[in-house]
């Protein structure tokens, strides 16, 4: 690996902020009590967890008993989808209906799809419009008499587009207040207002490692009065909803990270947004046949997702990595076969139009110098790949057609 490294994959994860780490440190080897223990050591840990609960509740404008700590957004989202359905079946027999979007993170999408396969729910997956934004009318029109849950992500993790959560929340509250409304706010917490009252959500999920906190810890906000069933058996931690020994150090880090956003959001947003627009303009101007995926306006301040025609995304990614530039692609590479991104397909793109996509996500410490250097290397790499990839890609798509 070359010495110079430029990290442009902040939507995948962020570094734990030094101040956050400092606050976490005592809870590994010194104050290591189990927060459920009644002795002093346990109570010391429990107090740290409760302090973090206050910090998190403040950020979301929630009550303390509405905040459940989990292992991250994957767990929170699974608890939402499965917990809501399980609670419903305790009272009702008729098959319920769930509305979600076609470009949710797989932890929502597959949870719904699996329940559908098991014949436990009916589901509608709403496609976004071409610009990567879900239409409020499409959600409204999909509501049926047996709809019990609507789950729409706040910011899409791949293309960074921002969804009209507050508008959807208003419509539900006005017309169908019994329908439960959930948002996966994992990619939004750093940049957008997550006041649950203003959003009109009943449930909200997030992960700490996207906001300069540690990995393996997250939150589920559950509106007071809403009953969802636990999906994991064990102890009675987290109001009986999430069994398992409490991750004290992680939760302390989460609380610290979330309270830092509140202080820094305005300045960080401005700076990152400026740099994002600079990066978009530079790429589109300097690299021919490049296109931005998703709306330029309704977009997270840190997300750039560009498509380079006649380029294979994974090859580009590996070339960039060998030069110390760490980014991400829209396609998932599993067991040696490339499958087009479900997010890009949901925008109406053809499989061959999705493959040259590159996601660059900026962070609070990304500099203009880094962006300039990254564009220089991307441009050079795209040119190189285009020279060699024409025939390879042709063969690949021919093969795909045979398989289809
Ligand atoms: N939802 C979204 C929108 C995400 O971006 C991610 C992480 N990529 C998750 C859920 C899952 O988060 P985790 O892996 O921390 O559980």
């Amino acid at each position: 690996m070359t010495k110079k490294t430029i990290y442009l994959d902040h939507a995948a994860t962020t570094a734990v902020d030094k101040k956050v780490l400092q606050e976490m440190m005592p809870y590994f080897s010194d104050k290591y009590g189990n927060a459920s223990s009644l002795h002093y050591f346990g109570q010391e840990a429990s107090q740290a967890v409760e302090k973090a609960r206050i910090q998190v509740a403040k950020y979301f404008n929630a009550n303390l008993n509405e905040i459940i700590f989990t292992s991250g957004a994957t767990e929170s989202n699974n608890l939402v989808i499965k917990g809501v359905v399980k609670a419903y079946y305790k009272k009702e027999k008729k098959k319920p209906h769930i509305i979600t979007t076609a470009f949710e993170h797989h932890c929502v999408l597959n949870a719904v799809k699996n329940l559908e396969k098991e014949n436990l729910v009916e589901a509608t997956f709403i496609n976004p419009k071409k610009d990567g934004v879900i239409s409020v009318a499409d959600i409204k029109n999909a509501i049926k008499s047996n709809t019990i849950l609507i789950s729409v992500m706040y910011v899409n993790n791949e293309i960074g587009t921002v969804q009209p959560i507050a508008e959807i929340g208003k419509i539900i509250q006005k017309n169908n207040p019994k329908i439960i409304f959930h948002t996966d706010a994992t990619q939004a917490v750093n940049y957008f207002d997550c006041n649950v009252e203003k959003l009109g959500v009943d449930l909200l999920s997030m992960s700490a490692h996207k906001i300069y906190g540690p990995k393996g810890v997250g939150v589920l906000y559950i509106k007071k009065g809403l009953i969802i069933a636990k999906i994991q058996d064990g102890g009675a931690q987290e109001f009986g909803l999430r069994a398992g020994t409490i991750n004290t150090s992680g939760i302390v880090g989460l609380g610290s990270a979330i309270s830092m956003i509140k202080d820094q959001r305005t300045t960080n947003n401005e700076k990152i947004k400026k740099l994002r627009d600079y990066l978009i303009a530079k790429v589109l101007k300097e690299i021919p046949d490049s296109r931005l995926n998703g709306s330029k306006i309704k977009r997270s301040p840190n997300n750039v997702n560009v498509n380079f025609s006649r380029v294979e995304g994974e090859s580009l990614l590996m070339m960039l990595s060998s030069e110390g530039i760490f980014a991400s692609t829209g396609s998932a590479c599993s067991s040696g076969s490339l499958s087009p991104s479900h997010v890009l397909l949901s925008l109406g793109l053809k499989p061959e139009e999705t493959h040259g996509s590159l996601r660059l996500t900026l962070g609070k410490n990304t500099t203009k110098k880094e962006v300039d250097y990254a564009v220089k290397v991307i441009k050079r790499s795209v040119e190189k790949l285009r020279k060699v990839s024409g025939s390879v890609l042709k063969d690949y798509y021919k093969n795909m057609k045979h398989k289809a």
Side-chain angles (χ1 to χ4, degrees), residues 11 72-74 77 105 107 153 155 157 184 186-187 207 209-210:
T74 298
N77 288 338
H105 189 275
C107 58
M153 69 196 324
V155 169
N157 47 304
D184 174 1
T186 307
Q187 297 288 346
S207 260
H209 69 103
K210 311 286 188 183

Side-chain angles (χ1 to χ4, degrees), residues 248-277:
T248 311
S249 54
I251 291 169
V252 166
L254 198 170
S256 168
I258 213 161
S259 57
M260 274 171 56
I261 310 174
K262 199 152 196 185
D263 304 333
Q264 299 176 358
R265 195 163 71 198
T266 320
T267 27
N268 277 343
N269 275 6
E270 281 302 305
K271 192 192 130 203
I272 292 177
K273 201 170 166 196
K274 235 186 197 168
L275 206 52
R276 175 203 70 183
D277 289 342

Side-chain angles (χ1 to χ4, degrees), residues 45 126 186 202 301 303:
I126 306 284
T186 307
D202 302 297
N303 178 293

